[in-house]
Amino acid sequence: MYPQPLRTLVDELGRLPGIGPKSAQRLAFYLLRQPDEDARRLAAALVAMREETSLCEVCCNVADRSGRCDTCADPRRDTAMICVVEDPRDVVAVERSGAFRGTYHVLHGALSPLEGVGADQLHITELKARLADGAVTEVILCMNPNVEGDATATYLSKVLAPFGVAITRPASGLPVGGDLEFADDATLGRALTGRRPVEA
Ligand SMILES: [Zn+2]
């Protein structure tokens, strides 16, 4: 049996994705052995992450407290094009491909009845609001190439159809069943350049 503070840390670490009870114990004991300032730096980074980040008021990507992410704050980006992705990490993947100069919209998830994720939990209302003034001409549905991603893209193509914007999806060629963030830059770039209209 460990002292309570250590047990609490093991419990908290064990709640992280991919960390089982054994890994949680190993990490906790590792941290216990580290110099005091190292553990304090980690704790401070966690607190700062909560206190100093927010969601971008335009695209819902992660931003600092200024209210806008780097992409939305950049006047050189083409605001007539929106690339819709599931996760902030997908923004990084698309940026790395160098094939897109528009703006993004981050849903923070994908439709998944099995995991209880419905349309209400995704940032779709914010996306519709961005289309209301008619300035956006194309929405690229850049979901992960898997079942949840496909379901999300199909749903979005229906709810966005009334706005009269071009709705496209990346060309096939992305590894099916995989995650966008693991696609190599050239493949993702080709898929984006060769995007196709979605039939609503
Ligand atoms: Zn933004």
Side-chain angles (χ1 to χ4, degrees), residues 17-192:
I19 305 288
K22 284 218 166 121
S23 296
Q25 285 187 36
R26 190 170 47 77
L27 286 169
F29 278 99
Y30 170 81
L31 290 167
L32 187 65
R33 286 194 304 270
Q34 295 312 296
D36 195 45
E37 63 265 29
D38 284 19
R40 285 184 191 283
R41 207 165 45 235
L42 175 62
L46 281 170
V47 172
M49 182 266 289
R50 297 308 310 200
E51 291 181 350
E52 293 163 27
T53 63
S54 62
L55 294 189
C56 172
E57 63 192 10
V58 179
C59 73
C60 303
N61 196 2
V62 181
D64 60 25
R65 285 281 171 181
S66 71
R68 292 214 170 182
C69 71
D70 291 345
T71 309
C72 291
D74 183 350
R76 291 165 302 180
R77 304 296 296 219
D78 180 1
T79 53
M81 289 171 71
I82 298 179
C83 179
V84 185
V85 295
E86 296 178 21
D87 191 278
R89 289 168 299 174
D90 300 333
V91 172
V92 177
V94 175
E95 283 295 288
R96 240 182 12 226
S97 80
F100 183 67
R101 293 302 298 162
T103 59
Y104 294 91
H105 195 86
V106 183
L107 299 172
H108 292 274
L111 291 179
S112 174
L114 284 178
E115 288 172 39
V117 182
D120 298 352
Q121 278 122 293
L122 307 177
H123 291 268
I124 295 173
T125 310
E126 292 91 337
L127 175 59
K128 289 201 237 173
R130 293 177 69 184
L131 304 182
D133 68 0
V136 173
T137 56
E138 182 179 351
V139 173
I140 305 169
L141 302 176
C142 200
M143 279 60 264
N144 283 330
N146 56 30
V147 176
E148 290 82 9
D150 283 344
T152 308
T154 303
Y155 176 81
L156 284 177
S157 67
K158 289 199 174 81
V159 298
L160 301 183
F163 290 94
V165 294
I167 300 173
T168 59
R169 287 197 75 180
S172 53
L174 295 172
V176 174
D179 250 22
L180 208 64
E181 61 168 321
F182 299 128
D184 73 86
D185 301 351
T187 306
L188 184 52
R190 264 199 309 277
L192 275 167

